[in-house]
Amino acid sequence: MANFLPSLPDVLKIAFCIGFFVLGITPLLVIIERRLSAFMQGRVGPNRVNIPWLQRMGGVLPGGLGQPLADVIKLLFKEDFLPASADKALYYAGPVLVLVPPALGMIVIPWGNRIGNEHLQVADLSVGVLFAMSVLSVAVYGLAFGGWASNNKFSLMGGLRASAQLVSYELALGLSIIAAIMLTAGAGPDALGTVDPREIVQRQTHGILSWNVFGGGDLKMAPFGLLAFVLFFIAALAENNRVPFDLPECEAELVGGYHTEYSGIKFSVFMMGEYVGMILMSSLMVTFFLGGWYFPGVTDPADHSVLAGLLSVAVFVTKIMTILVFYVVIRWTLPRFKYNQLMNLGWKRLVPLALANVLAIAAVGVLGGAK
Amino acid sequence: MTFGMKLKSWWLKLMVRLYIPAALQGMRHTLARVFRPKVTLSYPEEVHVPRKGYRGEHRLKKDELGRMKCVACLMCQTACPAECIRIDAGPSPWPDREKIPIAFTIDMLKCIYCGMCEEACPCDAIELTPTFNKVATTREEKIYDINKLLSR
């Protein structure tokens, strides 16, 4: 029985993972997105609401940090609307199924180097990649349920689009992950690739060229690594329903798509689920392609002190924040695709390219001699 | 068409079809926008100052003796395309003119701020001020009578 009780470090790690990566970065990301998009449009953006006791600390922080908090409080007190003839159970399940899977996926992400004997990762699963992928697929149900249960034509269209889009792009996503896994194959005892996220990061800690985006230590593989990264990035955009792939919730035609009928706290849970999904996707990107918590010259993989551990977490957070800002810039730059373009891109471009990429990596690996 | 030109056109077409170079270019543009000066104002602290010659709400001018300049000729009322000016003339207490307005009412909700009244006035008695903020809570507040117009 005692084995099932979590130890103190485990509790701390879970608290950090949920408290920071899910509940901490999300509001930060919301305010960054709103301010940044305002700047891009020549506006100032929300800069009034402050967190009261933080404001008193000399006004060092930029204004508006309390805006997401205020928004959540507002949404909490709004009417929790249930449309007539909505499927009640599925209607309630929708937002939850959007928020929980990405939060669950975060547990296999190694967000820091080892401190002492504790790996900074909630669950060290040897099949972590597969776990993250399978858990991600569940999020489709949330969108489809939300669209179906609302009993609204627009919502149903959004839900249908979401399910078709997510299923299509999951293929390209999976294939580019396979490419990343193949790139992790190294010499000697590491001759085989690995699906353990911690191990994947560990193998990318030998200089910047050992990152999978640069071929995982083999310069012959660099173009394939880069291609896999670009494919993963595009597929991740589509998986997160982000512009330019935000067809399931396009405001102009579908009035919000699958969350048209949602209001109050359920709507905010939907939105939060999307942001957590973005955080998970960028974490996966950093883990598979950009060396995880490792940055040459900043973090030393052999240093297991507390300070080095915290530094590695900081490096990881910096990396995912960079990707998330990239997401925001893309959102305010690119126009939305048409649905046929979306499907063409997914099935006729990304999937064959990702397949060819996997084959090319295998061919170069075999013909070019093992590393 | 030389081979070089063909190659170049093929390359450009490929770049367009790839979509990503164009997307990156667009993102560079978007990012550059972040550092441009803001065009909006933080309203209660910063107030918009209209340019010179901005046509805001009217006022009636007074001469050097402190008397209103208006002689109730009804030129502005006639010129007004929105028919928002209403003047009731009465006998003048001063010898230099025959009439003065007893009532001079402008419905600011009807006014289109075209400045025709200012153009029409032969005595330079009415003008549009650069008042930008025209807030009121009731309709009645926006119907300005002679005292209000003179006091501005």
Side-chain angles (χ1 to χ4, degrees), chain A residues 173-216:
Chain A
L173 196 77
L175 283 169
S176 42
I177 290 179
I178 289 178
I181 291 166
M182 289 170 79
L183 288 173
T184 58
D190 296 341
L192 294 172
T194 172
V195 286
D196 180 355
R198 188 165 58 79
E199 186 63 27
I200 290 176
V201 173
Q202 204 65 47
R203 290 186 191 183
Q204 296 180 69
T205 54
H206 313 292
I208 196 164
L209 286 177
S210 68
W211 292 4
N212 282 334
V213 67
F214 301 119

Side-chain angles (χ1 to χ4, degrees), chain A residues 301-325:
Chain A
D303 190 353
H304 299 315
S305 65
V306 176
L307 200 66
L310 292 179
L311 196 63
S312 66
V313 175
V315 166
F316 182 80
V317 172
T318 312
K319 280 180 181 175
I320 67 170
M321 283 323 267
T322 311
I323 291 180
L324 290 170
V325 167

Side-chain angles (χ1 to χ4, degrees), chain B residues 6 12 47-48 55 72 78 81 95 103 141:
Chain B
K6 267 185 188 165
L12 287 176
V47 180
H48 173 63
R55 299 196 298 266
T78 314
E141 274 176 62

Side-chain angles (χ1 to χ4, degrees), chain A residues 39-111:
Chain A
F39 289 167
M40 284 162 188
Q41 295 164 351
R43 295 184 287 121
V44 179
N47 62 348
R48 302 276 158 166
V49 189
N50 280 306
I51 304 167
W53 48 269
L54 276 181
Q55 195 184 13
R56 262 184 252 130
M57 294 187 344
V60 205
L61 291 161
L65 280 177
Q67 187 69 44
L69 207 66
D71 286 344
V72 165
I73 292 170
K74 183 199 80 172
L75 284 168
L76 265 173
F77 286 103
K78 284 184 89 169
E79 185 190 355
D80 197 11
F81 178 71
L82 180 74
S85 71
D87 190 324
K88 205 171 171 186
L90 292 185
Y91 186 77
Y92 280 101
V96 178
L97 277 176
V98 171
L99 174 61
V100 171
L104 211 55
M106 282 307 292
I107 70 169
V108 294
I109 304 292
W111 30 265

Side-chain angles (χ1 to χ4, degrees), chain A residues 39 42-44 48 326 333, chain B residues 26-27 30 33 38-40 45:
Chain A
F39 289 167
R43 295 184 287 121
V44 179
R48 302 276 158 166
F326 211 62
T333 302
Chain B
M27 279 157 68
T30 320
R33 283 257 158 190
K38 313 281 168 281
V39 293
T40 54
E45 291 91 23

